[in-house]
Amino acid sequence: MRKIIAYFIKYHVAVDVIIIAFFIFGIFGANALKSSFFPLTESKNVLINITYPGASPQEVEEGIVLKIEDNLKGLQGVDRVTSTSRENSGSINVEIEKGRDIDFMLLEVKNAVDRVPTFPTGMEPLVVSKLEAVRQTIIFSISGNDIPLVTLKQIGRQIENDLRAIEGISQISISGYPLEEIEIALDENSLLAYNMSFNEVAQAVANANILVTGGNIKTNSEEYLIRANNRSYYGEELNNLIIRA
């Protein structure tokens, strides 16, 4: 150690050269260092999206979800399978074990789905994809005194459209307001006068708001999906609804 110290004292120019070299290499190393404010994490989930227009949650589960889950049983590399069945749609989340290649497991899940012998007529093609990890970047709120909730929602939608036009933004979600719904109030005396029941009115409203598929038409270059969409989205559209002819 004494010899090294004595050498540096005697040849101080060499010490300066070494320090400058370390400084230069440090600058190059810092510029080449990869960093990210929001580092990407590899996905470990495969998502199966189901679209079945006009189907109830039970029909989605029994006709599609359970069949796919049966084929996923025993598939090596799968840690857990969870599913959700909703009206007209459903989803299956396949969690992959650590250390497994997500691209290979995506192919394995697709093959398992393709092995299902039959699906209900009228369902749209299944979408099997990797569930990308999304992190929240910015959260902000919109508020105002004596401003109706509908107006705040319209402002939020406008801001959402403006943000979607910006390149680099992958996902935007709006929350904080209730879902819109149509409320139909009935006069009990009028129902008695016309000899009608609540169930009869409810059935008439349901029959007037349908979304069902009628199959598809295939050509050499395209495929057309036939769908009957007779839903009402505003209360005014139900004013002239015929309950009984």
Side-chain angles (χ1 to χ4, degrees):
M1 180 63 69
R2 290 182 178 179
K3 292 182 179 180
I4 296 176
I5 296 175
Y7 177 82
F8 284 151
I9 293 175
K10 184 177 180 180
Y11 301 100
H12 59 86
V13 177
V15 177
D16 295 337
V17 172
I18 294 174
I19 294 175
I20 294 173
F22 272 110
F23 181 75
I24 294 174
F25 283 120
I27 293 176
F28 281 108
N31 293 332
L33 184 64
K34 294 182 179 180
S35 62
S36 176
F37 190 73
F38 295 100
L40 297 176
T41 56
E42 186 177 0
S43 174
K44 289 299 179 183
N45 296 72
V46 175
L47 185 64
I48 305 173
N49 284 317
I50 303 166
T51 303
Y52 187 8
S56 65
Q58 183 177 359
E59 291 174 331
V60 173
E61 181 179 8
E62 295 178 354
I64 305 173
V65 173
L66 294 180
K67 293 180 179 180
I68 296 176
E69 288 181 342
D70 287 340
N71 275 21
L72 292 174
K73 291 179 180 178
L75 189 64
Q76 293 185 356
V78 174
D79 185 24
R80 187 174 63 167
V81 178
T82 56
S83 62
T84 303
S85 299
R86 299 176 295 273
E87 185 178 358
N88 301 322
S89 64
S91 62
I92 301 175
N93 184 34
V94 183
E95 299 181 22
I96 307 303
E97 294 177 351
K98 291 183 179 181
R100 296 281 183 171
D101 185 1
I102 185 63
D103 293 321
F104 175 77
M105 292 305 302
L106 176 63
L107 182 60
E108 289 290 292
V109 172
K110 287 183 178 180
N111 292 336
V113 173
D114 292 337
R115 287 195 297 269
V116 177
T118 57
F119 282 119
T121 304
M123 65 167 287
E124 297 183 3
L126 297 171
V127 179
V128 184
S129 60
K130 290 188 294 184
L131 183 61
E132 300 294 342
V134 179
R135 295 186 178 183
Q136 291 183 342
T137 305
I138 299 175
I139 302 176
F140 63 91
S141 61
I142 303 172
S143 62
N145 296 327
D146 300 328
I147 298 179
L149 188 60
V150 176
T151 303
L152 290 177
K153 181 179 179 180
Q154 293 174 351
I155 296 174
R157 290 297 185 189
Q158 182 61 46
I159 295 175
E160 178 187 13
N161 294 333
D162 294 340
L163 291 176
R164 290 189 184 278
I166 301 176
E167 185 178 358
I169 296 180
S170 60
Q171 184 174 339
I172 301 173
S173 60
I174 301 179
S175 61
Y177 54 84
L179 296 176
E180 296 179 352
E181 60 182 19
I182 300 175
E183 179 180 339
I184 301 176
L186 303 178
D187 184 3
E188 187 174 357
N189 293 328
S190 298
L191 290 177
L192 293 175
Y194 289 101
N195 193 23
M196 292 183 179
S197 63
F198 284 96
N199 292 334
E200 189 175 356
V201 176
Q203 186 62 42
V205 174
N207 293 336
N209 289 268
I210 58 174
L211 177 61
V212 295
T213 180
N216 52 21
I217 300 176
K218 293 184 178 180
T219 64
N220 294 332
S221 58
E222 295 179 329
E223 180 177 352
Y224 299 94
L225 180 65
I226 302 174
R227 181 182 300 172
N229 186 357
N230 190 35
R231 286 191 169 181
S232 300
Y233 296 94
Y234 300 96
E236 293 80 3
E237 299 175 359
L238 298 173
N239 285 338
N240 299 320
L241 178 64
I242 299 176
I243 305 300
R244 182 190 299 168

